[in-house]
Amino acid sequence: PSSISFKTTSINPPRNTVSVGKGMTLGKFTATLDVPVGESVSVKNLHFKTNITRGAMFRFRYGTLKDISDIGLYDSKNALVAKGETDSTGIIFKNAFTVSSATDYTIRATLGSRFKTGQTIQLSTEPKDSVIFYETVGGKMVAIPITPLTLSKMTVSSSLNLK
């Protein structure tokens, strides 16, 4: 049977920090496909649960999901594969896109000025009914199981670095 798996990929250059501003890397992963030659795999409604901590110094004003915008999923050639948005629990890529095997994918977004030094952001996904992975086999859609994925925890290093 066909399958798709994801694994966390190291961010290059190595870092687990982000700053307030545009184009901040929130995580990186590699997709591996096991499908018949000539078949492609598409995904729709790829959802990442987003865990954001407040940081030790800030009790009231701090960054939340509402302060994340301009979300994009990029391939290893830095081409935009899918646009994302936030929902009540995380980041979702609603539109269908084709997944390529052995390709690194990077999630980037703009972090608003409410994010403070010491806050952390971590994305993870689990198989859900609302996520649709499918391959075209003789014109039919076939559901494909997915492996859970937890991306690196990213720490906000400076709330003053506006880009």
Side-chain angles (χ1 to χ4, degrees):
S2 299
S3 67
I4 183 170
S5 62
F6 294 131
K7 71 175 183 175
T8 301
T9 305
S10 298
I11 296 170
N12 193 6
R15 67 183 188 287
N16 283 2
T17 59
V18 291
S19 299
V20 169
K22 296 180 180 182
M24 295 295 110
T25 297
L26 300 183
K28 191 171 182 179
F29 61 93
T30 301
T32 303
L33 305 177
D34 180 15
V35 296
V37 174
E39 295 293 341
S40 63
V41 174
S42 294
V43 60
K44 185 175 182 179
N45 294 339
L46 179 59
H47 185 265
F48 286 88
K49 180 181 174 198
T50 306
N51 183 24
I52 301 173
T53 65
R54 293 184 191 182
M57 301 294 292
F58 303 97
R59 296 179 68 195
F60 303 108
R61 290 187 50 92
Y62 54 89
T64 66
L65 274 172
K66 293 177 184 177
D67 302 302
I68 299 175
S69 62
D70 303 321
I71 303 162
L73 179 66
Y74 297 85
D75 66 15
S76 54
K77 296 178 184 173
N78 206 27
L80 179 65
V81 175
K83 288 186 178 184
E85 59 188 67
T86 59
D87 65 12
S88 62
T89 61
I91 292 172
I92 187 166
F93 298 93
K94 289 183 177 180
N95 295 331
F97 60 92
T98 301
V99 177
S100 299
S101 191
T103 297
D104 290 340
Y105 291 94
T106 304
I107 299 170
R108 291 194 197 106
T110 297
L111 297 183
S113 61
R114 289 180 58 133
F115 276 95
K116 307 295 184 218
T117 300
Q119 283 194 261
T120 62
I121 304 168
Q122 188 169 30
L123 309 180
S124 62
T125 189
E126 295 178 6
K128 285 187 159 190
D129 293 335
S130 60
V131 177
I132 303 167
F133 288 89
Y134 55 90
E135 67 178 311
T136 310
V137 179
K140 297 180 182 177
M141 303 277 186
V142 180
I144 298 176
I146 179 178
T147 55
L149 174 69
T150 299
L151 302 180
S152 299
K153 185 182 289 186
M154 305 301 286
T155 302
V156 178
S157 65
S158 172
S159 57
L160 301 175
N161 186 9
L162 299 174
K163 291 187 178 186

